[in-house]
Amino acid sequence: MTGGANPGGTRTQSSIDAAPRRALIAGELERILSSRVFGRSPRHRAFLRHIVDATLNGEYARLKESTIALEVFQRDAAHFDSVTHSIVRVEAGRLRQKLERFYADEGARSPVAIELTIGNYRPRFVDPIPGGVKPV
């Protein structure tokens, strides 16, 4: 999704500057990490926690593919080449799928959703639109 609302008209992005908003996002992160969907995926839990924490803390340099490879997936800096090593891109795709499954079931009524758009490792935090249609 890009911009304020997605094509399905179900959620909009909002600011994370206010302390209550940050607490809401942190709570949502914990619900996701303790969910059935993420229960047996320590790699995806670590990846999601990394990108959400970095975003909330304004540490956008930590959202680069090479940094994620080193910090989350413990790749060796001397040998990691993002052109030939696709672990971050592959795991980001799997993380997106897990988030979609979470919001289709356990997280369907969440007060905020954490999304990861294609081509980007910075998560988006979006609110449901009142009266909106449940995402498919």
Side-chain angles (χ1 to χ4, degrees):
M1 292 189 315
T2 58
N6 70 11
T10 57
R11 296 184 183 266
T12 60
Q13 185 170 14
S14 62
S15 174
I16 58 171
D17 295 333
R21 178 74 177 157
R22 292 173 62 86
L24 183 69
I25 293 166
E28 182 65 6
L29 174 62
E30 294 308 317
R31 279 188 293 281
I32 293 169
L33 298 179
S34 64
S35 70
R36 289 186 311 270
V37 173
F38 281 80
R40 294 185 183 161
S41 300
R43 176 178 278 196
H44 295 124
R45 287 195 309 265
F47 190 179
L48 185 60
R49 181 175 296 283
H50 176 89
I51 62 174
V52 169
D53 287 349
T55 300
L56 290 177
N57 293 323
E59 301 169 338
Y60 303 117
R62 293 183 63 215
L63 298 173
K64 294 183 344 186
E65 184 173 0
S66 58
T67 305
I68 294 168
L70 302 176
E71 293 184 9
V72 176
F73 301 113
Q74 290 79 48
R75 293 302 186 250
D76 182 0
H79 298 102
F80 182 77
D81 175 14
S82 64
V83 174
T84 58
H85 297 101
S86 61
I87 186 166
V88 178
R89 292 184 303 276
V90 169
E91 295 303 324
R94 292 176 179 157
L95 178 57
R96 284 182 199 97
Q97 291 172 347
K98 283 189 180 294
L99 286 168
E100 287 173 10
R101 286 201 325 262
F102 173 77
Y103 287 111
D105 184 25
E106 293 176 75
R109 305 244 185 263
S110 292
V112 64
I114 299 173
E115 297 179 348
L116 186 59
T117 58
I118 293 174
N120 189 325
Y121 302 117
R122 183 175 176 182
R124 296 188 49 200
F125 309 108
V126 293
D127 299 316
I129 294 175
V133 184
K134 179 180 169 187
V136 180

